[in-house]
Amino acid sequence: MVYTAWNYHDMTLSMAYFLLYTCNSFVVVVAMLSTKMLKILLLALPRFDSSVQLLALLSICFVFMALTHLLGVSNELGCFVAGVTISATLN
């Protein structure tokens, strides 16, 4: 297939729409996880020592990073959202 200016523009727009819908679905999943499961986990963390707390927080970051990688979005976005979610849940 020969990419003309019109076809290239359509391809770029379709990729942009795909990323937009992917990011929106990721935000919905994060909102659901943070309200239920993460709140329970993070409120139980002060009972453990600091090494277990650090391991739990890092595992949350890696889970969010894996989710964003599966969705085709950058890994940094997953770590950023995990940090924001942890910060919002703890405060």
Side-chain angles (χ1 to χ4, degrees), residues 11-77:
M11 184 179 66
T12 306
L13 280 178
S14 64
M15 288 184 348
Y17 286 132
F18 172 74
L19 286 176
L20 180 66
Y21 290 126
T22 303
C23 289
N24 285 339
S25 63
F26 178 69
V27 167
V28 169
V29 168
V30 166
M32 289 172 30
L33 283 176
S34 66
T35 56
K36 301 290 181 189
M37 295 171 20
L38 284 180
K39 189 173 280 190
I40 294 169
L41 175 70
L42 291 175
L43 291 177
L45 275 181
R47 294 185 294 178
F48 301 103
D49 60 348
S50 62
S51 61
V52 175
Q53 291 176 3
L54 179 64
L55 182 64
L57 295 176
L58 283 176
S59 64
I60 290 170
C61 281
F62 282 121
V63 165
F64 277 98
M65 185 179 72
L67 282 174
T68 55
H69 180 74
L70 288 174
L71 290 173
V73 188
S74 68
N75 295 336
E76 292 84 7
L77 178 67

